Amino acid sequence: MRHYLVSDETINQATKCLCNFSCLNSDTYDTCLIGGNLFGNFLDIEKKSRKIACPYLFSYGFSNYCTCPVRREVYERYRV
C-alpha cells in the first residue's frame, strides 16, 4: 500500500473531485496510466481505466487527457 502526499493548495484546487481523492491511496485507486505531461496542465492518459466518470478526464481525437491538479501533482512527485 502506498499513500501519496500532495499540498493542501492542490487539494483545494480539485473542487470537482467525485472520488474523495482516492488517487492518494494506491490500494483504493484505479489509476489512469499516464503517458506524459503536456504543456504543464494536461496529463496524457495512455489508457482510460477509470470505472467512475471523472470531470477532469476528457477525450480529444483518439487521445484521453486529465486536468486534475491532484493527479498531476501525484504524477510529478512520484511518476505514477
Side-chain angles (χ1 to χ4, degrees):
M1 173 168 44
R2 186 139 187 204
H3 294 279
Y4 303 110
L5 301 175
V6 298
S7 68
D8 289 338
E9 179 182 337
T10 299
I11 294 286
N12 291 334
Q13 291 173 1
T15 59
K16 298 186 267 183
C17 182
L18 301 176
C19 300
N20 199 29
F21 305 107
S22 64
C23 62
L24 298 176
N25 182 341
S26 64
D27 284 348
T28 61
Y29 185 57
D30 182 18
T31 306
C32 292
L33 300 175
I34 305 297
N37 191 337
L38 300 175
F39 310 116
N41 293 318
F42 299 99
L43 295 174
D44 180 27
I45 304 295
E46 288 185 0
K47 179 180 174 186
K48 189 175 177 181
S49 57
R50 299 286 305 164
K51 294 175 184 166
I52 298 171
C54 178
Y56 292 105
L57 188 64
F58 71 95
S59 296
Y60 183 77
F62 295 106
S63 299
N64 297 299
Y65 300 97
C66 174
T67 59
C68 177
V70 172
R71 184 67 182 99
R72 185 175 59 242
E73 188 168 330
V74 168
Y75 174 73
E76 289 172 356
R77 283 186 181 206
Y78 303 100
R79 292 296 178 206
V80 294

